[in-house]
Amino acid sequence: MTTFFPAPDDRYPLDKTYEETSDTPGPENVIVFKKFKRLQIAGLLHPDNGSDLYWTAIEKRSVVLTDLGIFYYQLVRKHLI
């Protein structure tokens, strides 16, 4: 998480290159998108528009850490996990 979010309240912008079904997928971005999907399922990340990650990417929106995600972020920064 600290790789994608330099600070816990940062936003990570997405675009359609993150979605593998788009007309212009970026292979490295698709890998990041799949990681974000796992973080979302775990309750650590969510789209800023409250929508699905697919629409967040298509609409060029951002993802943010949830409160639980921020808690885990802080544990990682303190080398506790």
Side-chain angles (χ1 to χ4, degrees), residues 23-72:
D23 55 350
T24 57
E28 292 180 12
N29 289 351
V30 170
I31 292 169
V32 170
F33 189 83
K34 289 180 180 183
K35 289 178 183 180
F36 283 172
K37 188 64 176 172
R38 288 193 297 269
L39 291 173
Q40 181 187 32
I41 291 168
L44 304 176
L45 172 144
H46 67 88
D48 67 353
N49 62 353
S51 184
D52 185 70
L53 281 180
Y54 170 83
W55 289 110
T56 302
I58 298 301
E59 295 172 357
K60 297 182 180 180
R61 302 289 304 243
S62 300
V63 293
V64 295
L65 295 174
T66 63
D67 289 340
L68 182 61
I70 291 171
F71 174 73
Y72 276 94

Side-chain angles (χ1 to χ4, degrees), residues 69-80:
I70 291 171
F71 174 73
Y72 276 94
Y73 179 95
Q74 292 168 343
L75 292 177
V76 169
R77 284 284 182 182
K78 293 177 182 177
H79 305 286
L80 297 174

